[in-house]
Amino acid sequence: MIERTGNLAALASAVLQPGFVGTTPPAWICRWLGEGLGSVVLFARNVVDPAQVAALTATLRAERPDVIVAIDEEAGDVTRIESRLGSSRPGNHALGAVDDPALTEEVARDLGGELAGLGITLDYAPDADVNSNPANPVIGVRSFGAEPDLVARHTAAWVRGLQAGGVAACAKHFPGHGDTRVDSHHDLPRITGDRARLDAVELAPFRAAVAAGVQAVMTGHLLVPALDPELPATLSDRILSGLLRDELGFSGVVVTDAVEMRAVADRYGFAGATVRALAAGADAICIGGERADEGAARELRDAIVAAVVSGELPEERLAEAAKRVGQLAAWTVAARADRPLRTATGAEGSAVGLAAARRALRVTTTPAGRDALPLAAAAYVVEFEPPRNIAIGAETPWGVGAPLADLLPGTTTVRYAEATVPADPTAAAGDRPVVLVVRDLHRHDWMRAAVDRALAARPDAVVVELGVPALVTGAVHVATHGATRAGARAAADLLAGR
């Protein structure tokens, strides 16, 4: 019995993908790697610079050469590897706006080469959601767009590019998080479309990802009654085994979205959701965004072992999951061996990314704004700050004011949230050019009202939209399709006439 329990503990450890705190691996992670842990996931808190990340992953690999090192690096607004500066590559929405799959593949290959050089082998990307609901609070510019065919062709291109760069791709959030008004970090979203709608919209990009050879698929914590009226996708055998495996023909690793997210943890418990997900067909359990300690990992490992002993989780299912994780690990080892590892881009960022961001800019001008660009002098920049999106994180800088000040010295920037915005946000501008910077203007009534007041006072102001440009306003409107460092630099260059 002791020997069986030890074997089960090793299998249970193999299917966990825990995070940790710190810029070097803690002792418990190193110990667990020797005891069967197959994967770890890195977050922004683990990243300082390329040299530090490379040293961190080398330490992990010294404990287990085939360890899967995952990261949630979508490029765009969701960046972990460049969280301190902002992504030097445009995100999905910008690439979708350009709609050149060859460019999308090039950007993803560029990212894959950098991640591989840092020792990262699995990327929780691309986001394959169709952002068909413009009020979506958590997807937005993380999606390639609102059209299923567009999202499908760019999802496939991103998968091909990233994996050509030497890193396994992971399409998410299956079966599709785009048509929601709820963030699954906080509650359980419900997708109300019928099966025909799901086939035509939500599932199209995942079919394309599977056809492109994607190595992993991440589940969404979503209730989809047309597929399973009772259980969220992460915990549903009908969705993971019946739909994803049997119908779509996916044979790679199914990894859950973070299992501590409230959409599932509040209803089924931290450990309960983990056991149910494995029983339903998941192969790897992502944890550690919020619970990043050995106690959390031990709780899940012990719950998995207990579920097998009690018969709640078949041992063959656990063994199958661990085997798939092992197969992905072998793929990552071969991918690293087959490709020369390149040096990381460093603080200067990706030249490929900046060129792509420039192509993604869209400028809408009325007759009144025909002569507004380039700006004639140092500007007064007003940035409106929406509530934090937990998927993006609070640590990543954004905005146009800083790069514009580099080009037009004397440019000043103020930033207002809903509680701090004054009656006239432009009152202190004087006769300087005014730039109003917004993120998803269409989703925030307070921001729209503030911009309306600002434009009433300064109708010559330029509006720069860093989110989804669903609402175009002002005499000159510049859409970057994302709040990235690359997009901000491209917009600043445009405003300054550079």
Side-chain angles (χ1 to χ4, degrees):
M1 181 64 179
I2 294 176
E3 182 179 356
R4 183 187 183 222
T5 301
N7 290 337
L8 291 177
L11 289 174
S13 297
V15 303
L16 298 180
Q17 294 191 344
F20 57 88
V21 176
T23 56
T24 58
W28 74 269
I29 284 285
C30 294
R31 186 176 68 254
W32 278 53
L33 287 171
E35 297 172 352
L37 182 65
S39 313
V40 298
V41 56
L42 304 183
F43 293 87
R45 64 184 178 230
N46 306 121
V47 175
V48 176
D49 56 39
Q52 170 267 326
V53 175
L56 184 157
T57 61
T59 301
L60 295 171
R61 206 153 274 114
E63 299 292 338
R64 178 167 184 159
D66 67 344
V67 60
I68 295 170
V69 182
I71 198 167
D72 190 6
E73 177 60 49
E74 298 175 13
D77 287 28
V78 177
T79 180
R80 311 303 182 214
I81 211 70
E82 294 189 282
S83 63
R84 283 169 168 73
L85 297 174
S87 177
S88 61
R89 298 173 182 87
N92 285 4
H93 207 265
L95 295 171
V98 178
D99 195 14
D100 178 355
L103 177 66
T104 296
E105 188 168 341
E106 181 184 13
V107 170
R109 186 184 301 109
D110 182 60
L111 174 62
E114 177 170 4
L115 295 180
L118 296 175
I120 294 165
T121 56
L122 170 63
D123 188 6
Y124 296 152
D127 188 309
D129 301 310
V130 180
N131 196 57
S132 53
N133 185 347
N136 195 313
V138 69
I139 303 302
V141 294
R142 300 168 67 193
S143 166
F144 289 110
E147 298 299 325
D149 290 346
L150 180 145
V151 177
R153 61 179 170 266
H154 287 277
T155 294
W158 216 95
V159 167
R160 290 192 301 267
L162 188 76
Q163 294 186 170
V167 174
C170 179
K172 64 186 183 188
H173 305 82
F174 186 80
H177 206 321
D179 190 14
T180 64
R181 288 180 176 269
V182 174
D183 182 346
S184 53
H185 289 88
H186 304 300
D187 205 347
L188 181 64
R190 183 184 180 95
I191 308 297
T192 58
D194 59 20
R195 180 57 198 267
R197 149 76 190 219
L198 293 170
D199 280 330
V201 180
E202 279 78 8
L203 295 179
F206 291 99
R207 293 184 189 277
V210 172
V214 70
Q215 289 293 313
V217 169
M218 176 175 280
T219 68
H221 303 323
L222 312 161
L223 186 65
V224 191
L227 302 175
D228 189 327
E230 298 178 356
L231 293 172
T234 298
L235 315 182
S236 171
D237 174 78
R238 296 185 191 180
I239 295 175
L240 301 189
S241 298
L243 176 58
L244 182 55
R245 295 286 188 205
D246 297 341
E247 289 192 42
L248 271 62
F250 178 63
S251 59
V253 167
V254 176
V255 59
T256 69
D257 206 344
V259 78
E260 66 264 43
M261 289 165 62
R262 296 182 63 180
V264 291
D266 280 2
R267 288 164 175 79
Y268 304 97
F270 182 49
T274 295
V275 170
R276 284 173 175 261
L278 288 167
D283 304 305
I285 306 296
C286 175
I287 57 172
E290 298 173 40
R291 299 193 60 177
D293 57 277
E294 184 177 10
R298 185 185 298 112
E299 179 182 345
L300 297 192
R301 182 193 63 189
D302 292 350
I304 294 167
V305 171
V308 173
V309 171
S310 70
E312 181 183 0
L313 175 63
E315 185 172 351
E316 312 81 66
R317 170 79 272 274
L318 178 60
E320 177 187 49
K323 180 180 178 180
R324 285 208 185 98
V325 172
Q327 290 169 338
L328 176 58
W331 184 95
T332 66
V333 170
R336 285 173 57 82
D338 289 346
R339 297 167 181 84
L341 299 183
R342 71 158 216 241
T343 304
T345 55
E348 72 278 6
S350 165
V352 169
L354 180 58
R358 285 175 171 147
R359 288 183 63 185
L361 290 179
R362 296 292 181 271
V363 182
T364 304
T365 306
T366 69
R370 189 168 297 149
D371 299 321
L373 295 181
L375 300 179
Y380 187 77
V381 180
V382 185
E383 297 178 342
F384 297 95
E385 184 168 25
R388 181 173 73 97
N389 181 326
I390 193 170
I392 293 172
E395 67 279 347
T396 305
W398 63 273
V400 173
L404 187 58
D406 290 338
L407 301 174
L408 297 176
T411 291
T412 58
T413 301
V414 294
R415 181 171 290 185
Y416 297 118
E418 180 176 7
T420 60
V421 63
D424 179 6
T426 70
D431 59 358
R432 287 180 288 174
V434 172
V435 179
L436 308 174
V437 182
V438 298
R439 295 179 75 173
D440 289 340
L441 181 63
H442 66 288
R443 290 205 306 110
H444 304 287
D445 291 342
W446 70 268
M447 191 183 297
R448 182 172 182 176
V451 168
D452 286 346
R453 296 195 303 271
L455 288 174
R458 288 295 301 267
D460 60 332
V462 176
V463 178
V464 179
E465 171 65 83
L466 305 184
V468 176
L471 176 61
V472 176
T473 188
V476 178
H477 183 276
V478 180
T480 65
H481 303 91
T484 64
R485 175 166 50 125
R489 167 71 185 279
D493 286 346
L494 175 72
L495 295 175
R498 302 295 174 89

